[in-house]
């Protein structure tokens, strides 16, 4: 959901031979397809503070989830597996670290390594992704300042 590293960071890392470990590659759970505009989060849940998780932004960003779900059905995979397979397909030196507290989710995430996205599928997916505008900031302003974004 945050593609800014593709602009300058990834080319620099590739040039220097440095790997990239993106955290939260499932968009804090959004790309799993488990949340919609009716989702609520406890005040102790970080997502309750994240602008992308307001009802209007969750609703506005459903087109991204719908795309991932469509690809998942075609590949007989789950949305998280497609999202992770897409990240893994970008460069061999990009290794995402999805977080989870549940063994079944870990096993599901690991299944992403078995999802093969062909060059044509990646091209089609990247074209569709480039047309989707993400609604809502990645972090609340006070947190964004800490990350330099």
């Amino acid at each position: 959901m945050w593609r800014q590293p593709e602009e300058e960071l990834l080319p620099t890392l590739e040039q220097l031979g440095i790997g990239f470990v993106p955290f939260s590659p499932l968009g804090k759970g959004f790309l799993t397809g488990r949340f919609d505009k009716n989702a609520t989060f406890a005040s102790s849940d970080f997502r309750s503070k994240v602008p992308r998780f307001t009802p209007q932004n969750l609703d506005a960003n459903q087109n991204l989830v719908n795309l991932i779900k469509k690809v998942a059905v075609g590949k007989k995979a789950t949305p998280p597996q497609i999202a992770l397979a897409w990240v893994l397909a970008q460069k061999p030196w990009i290794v995402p670290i999805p977080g989870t507290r549940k063994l079944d989710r870990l096993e599901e995430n690991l299944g992403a390594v078995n999802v093969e996205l062909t060059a044509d599928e990646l091209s089609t997916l990247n074209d569709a992704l480039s047309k989707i505008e993400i609604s809502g900031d990645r972090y609340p302003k006070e947190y964004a300042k800490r990350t330099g974004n």
Side-chain angles (χ1 to χ4, degrees):
M1 294 181 68
W2 184 59
R3 299 187 68 181
Q4 188 177 347
E6 293 173 285
E7 296 169 13
E8 291 182 21
L9 180 62
L10 295 185
T12 300
L13 293 176
E14 185 167 32
Q15 181 181 15
L16 296 173
I18 299 171
F20 184 61
V21 183
F23 70 94
S24 198
L26 297 175
K28 296 173 186 59
F30 181 72
L31 299 179
T32 66
R34 294 183 183 98
F35 304 115
D36 64 16
K37 67 181 176 183
N38 299 311
T40 58
F41 303 96
S43 61
S44 60
D45 188 322
F46 179 68
R47 291 172 287 206
S48 70
K49 298 170 184 61
V50 176
R52 286 193 181 156
F53 282 86
T54 64
Q56 68 268 23
N57 288 329
L58 285 170
D59 192 44
N61 292 325
Q62 282 303 307
N63 53 356
L64 175 58
V65 172
N66 293 340
L67 172 64
I68 293 170
K69 285 181 176 180
K70 181 181 174 185
V71 174
V73 168
K75 297 300 271 184
K76 294 183 173 68
T78 66
Q81 290 171 336
I82 295 302
L84 293 170
W86 179 85
V87 173
L88 290 167
Q90 300 309 302
K91 299 284 183 181
W93 45 267
I94 297 177
V95 183
I97 52 169
T100 185
R101 295 183 194 125
K102 298 179 180 175
L103 180 58
D104 62 324
R105 297 290 182 226
L106 174 62
E107 291 168 346
E108 178 184 17
N109 292 342
L110 289 172
V113 300
N114 298 318
V115 175
E116 181 182 336
L117 297 171
T118 66
D120 285 344
E121 289 169 332
L122 273 174
S123 178
T124 299
L125 187 52
N126 283 329
D127 183 55
L129 289 170
S130 72
K131 295 173 183 166
I132 296 174
E133 187 172 330
I134 299 301
S135 184
D137 290 333
R138 183 172 168 235
Y139 289 118
K141 289 183 183 182
E142 63 272 12
Y143 290 97
K145 288 178 189 175
R146 296 178 194 172
T147 66
N149 293 310

